[in-house]
Amino acid sequence: MVQIDEKAKGLSKARLASLFDAGTFVELSAYTKRQDGQAELESVVCGYGAVDGRLVFAFIQDSGRTKGAFGDRHAKKIEALYALAVKNGAPVIGVMDSAGAVVYDGAAALAAYGRLMKTVSDASGIIPQIAVIDGVCGGSLAVAASMFDFVVTVKNTSRLFVNAPFTVGETVSATAQGLSAHEADSEAEAFAYVKELLGVLPQNNADSVYTDSEDSLNRAVAWDSASYTAEGLLAQLADDGRMVRLYKGYTENAVMGFASFGGVLSGVIASNPAKQGILDIKTARAAAKLVSFCDSFGIPLLTLVDSEGLEVTAEAENAAYASELARLAMAYTSSDNAKLTVIVGKAYGTAFTLLGSKAVGADMALALPTACISVLSPEASVAFVWNDKVGEKSRAELESEWKEKCASAQEAADAGEIDDIIEPSELRQRICSALSMLAAKAEGAPVRKHAGLPL
């Protein structure tokens, strides 16, 4: 008769089961024991079940059982789980909490970490992967966790690091580093966020991006260019005003996440006018990751631009700013998913180019009549080009003239960089229409057997 510590086994299993619909969680490889000859069960629980009726696979490391020590059989259980998840085209959730490798396993333990990394890498872009850090996640495990599509951390509980804090001193949180897409106050809240995220993501890279929505496509948008907020605008544009935010604790210069528009799931990058929409390193880094993820799963991307340009600081230049902006440019230019961009306010300099312009791959670009698109801000442009005219006209008059003659949406449309100029009240209607038309792009071009012969 196999002897099992049901108390220890039941605690971790119950925690993982709470992520799933009641009564649907099924454990896999439940009786796998450690290699050290002891009666202790392997310190990871794996299984599958339904989340809001959709198939999901998950594992949880149990720090209460040999401190979640990671070794060969630990890795094999997770590998077997992934094999089933990929075959069935279903997401994987990994709850990380491990004190580290089984030290006396030596090279075998190190190889086990490598196999986990390869497993995560092989599944990347095929099925969504979400890591929940609910304890210690250090060294090689931190590398593997960071390879997941999204990382969710728990305030005052998560410890995500490569080198332990006692060896390098105090470090900033995973959220501040951009490693965490969302920081929850508790495990229960973290699981609730994961469920919300799973509710909008496709099951796999072949799944449809169409969703159910009864929200009116023609709902008018109330607009005040002087006082609007990115969150408020998206609440008006998105179906039922619903959006799942990402990287809220990392960058304040843009609002990012997922929402549906007219029943079409889309990634969203929206400049935050409260922060002048400055495209800094953090915003560029998070945006590049979101663009890449959307491309992997054929999810359309909506970019709402109201940016005064790039960050102008020595700190940015000393942090390889150009390289981070290059990653964003590569993300947009190399992606094949449907991309729609709307200039809702300012679009100055390189920010206009990088934030989903037609030049870097947008399928369609729209602008509001009040949009201002310019190499430099009107104030800087007048100071640089028309400064000798000050006196003939006031500086304010010249800046207004610059906006009208050299930086208007009409000028950009004349150059072919804007497809249409639309009224603010029509924003939702036109976004829904464009995304509905472009969404089919994710399915690829129709295959032609041969051309039809003329009579």
Side-chain angles (χ1 to χ4, degrees):
M1 185 74 175
V2 178
Q3 297 296 316
I4 296 175
D5 183 349
E6 292 293 345
K7 184 177 180 180
K9 177 177 181 290
L11 180 60
S12 53
K13 181 177 179 179
R15 288 170 59 204
L16 189 59
S18 68
L19 176 65
F20 294 88
D21 300 344
T24 66
F25 179 73
V26 177
E27 189 174 358
L28 297 169
S29 304
Y31 296 98
T32 302
K33 290 185 179 181
R34 300 192 55 75
Q35 285 180 278
D36 50 22
Q38 300 179 22
E40 190 75 54
L41 288 172
E42 186 53 72
S43 56
V44 62
V45 175
C46 300
Y48 66 92
V51 177
D52 292 331
R54 301 170 69 187
L55 178 63
V56 173
F57 289 79
F59 66 87
I60 182 169
Q61 293 179 306
D62 186 4
S63 60
R65 225 189 296 175
T66 63
K67 297 183 179 180
F70 191 92
D72 180 68
R73 290 188 182 176
H74 194 117
K76 284 180 177 177
K77 285 188 71 172
I78 298 175
E79 288 176 278
L81 176 87
Y82 261 90
L84 287 171
V86 172
K87 284 179 182 178
N88 287 279
V92 169
I93 312 301
V95 184
M96 314 289 197
D97 186 6
S98 170
V102 181
V103 178
Y104 50 76
D105 279 2
L110 298 176
Y113 278 124
R115 296 205 317 273
L116 174 60
M117 293 174 194
K118 186 176 188 306
T119 297
V120 174
S121 178
D122 288 347
S124 183
I126 299 175
I127 55 174
Q129 302 176 77
I130 305 172
V132 179
I133 313 302
D134 195 20
V136 177
C137 181
S140 295
L141 187 62
V143 176
S146 299
M147 294 170 67
F148 279 55
D149 295 311
F150 303 107
V151 174
V152 179
T153 51
V154 181
K155 190 175 183 179
N156 300 324
T157 299
S158 301
R159 298 176 63 199
L160 180 64
F161 54 79
V162 174
N163 295 296
F166 70 83
T167 65
V168 297
E170 194 63 31
T171 57
V172 298
S173 69
T175 302
Q177 296 174 48
L179 296 174
S180 174
H182 177 79
E183 183 178 65
D185 289 330
S186 64
E187 180 181 83
E189 186 184 324
F191 283 179
Y193 177 81
V194 169
K195 289 182 181 181
E196 190 178 11
L197 192 53
L198 288 172
V200 297
L201 294 179
Q203 285 287 92
N204 51 62
N205 63 357
D207 199 8
S208 171
V209 297
Y210 295 99
T211 64
D212 295 326
S213 175
E214 296 181 359
D215 200 351
S216 172
L217 300 177
N218 299 317
R219 177 161 44 80
V221 173
W223 174 258
D224 184 346
S225 60
S227 63
Y228 90 95
T229 65
E231 295 92 338
L233 177 58
L234 286 166
Q236 292 194 71
L237 296 177
D239 292 345
D240 306 309
R242 181 185 174 215
M243 178 177 178
V244 181
R245 287 284 300 273
L246 297 168
Y247 309 112
K248 184 177 181 179
Y250 180 56
T251 175
E252 296 181 340
N253 292 14
V255 173
M256 303 183 199
F258 296 102
S260 67
F261 302 88
V264 178
L265 170 66
S266 302
V268 177
I269 299 171
S271 301
N272 181 4
K275 296 293 182 179
Q276 294 78 51
I278 297 298
L279 182 56
D280 62 356
I281 285 177
K282 290 183 176 181
T283 306
R285 185 178 294 158
K289 182 173 177 61
L290 180 57
V291 173
S292 178
F293 176 84
C294 288
D295 182 46
S296 294
F297 288 87
I299 301 172
L301 179 71
L302 171 64
T303 307
L304 301 176
V305 183
D306 188 354
S307 174
E308 294 189 11
L310 306 183
E311 180 181 0
V312 185
T313 65
E315 290 79 7
E317 291 300 332
N318 290 331
Y321 194 14
S323 178
E324 294 296 341
L325 296 176
R327 289 175 62 192
L328 179 59
M330 288 290 288
Y332 271 106
T333 56
S334 64
S335 57
D336 294 322
N337 59 320
K339 293 182 287 292
L340 169 66
T341 299
V342 184
I343 312 296
V344 297
K346 302 168 182 175
Y348 297 163
T350 305
F352 165 77
T353 305
L354 292 179
L355 289 173
S357 67
K358 293 185 70 175
V360 296
D363 298 286
M364 183 179 291
L366 308 174
L368 298 187
T370 53
C372 185
I373 303 167
S374 182
V375 174
L376 300 173
S377 69
E379 295 79 9
S381 297
V382 169
F384 186 69
V385 181
W386 287 354
N387 203 51
D388 59 336
K389 295 185 179 182
V390 177
E392 301 174 15
K393 295 181 180 179
S394 71
R395 189 170 295 276
E397 288 175 322
L398 288 171
E399 289 169 359
S400 178
E401 184 178 341
W402 183 273
K403 289 181 184 179
E404 182 180 348
K405 290 185 176 180
C406 304
S408 69
Q410 184 62 58
E411 285 295 312
D414 289 348
E417 300 306 322
I418 295 296
D419 292 299
D420 201 0
I421 302 170
I422 62 176
E423 292 301 320
S425 62
E426 299 177 355
L427 264 173
R428 172 170 162 80
Q429 178 186 17
R430 294 298 300 273
I431 287 172
C432 291
S433 173
L435 289 174
S436 178
M437 178 271 292
L438 292 170
K441 180 183 176 184
E443 300 174 3
V447 177
R448 182 175 71 170
K449 186 175 181 180
H450 58 72
L453 291 175
L455 291 176

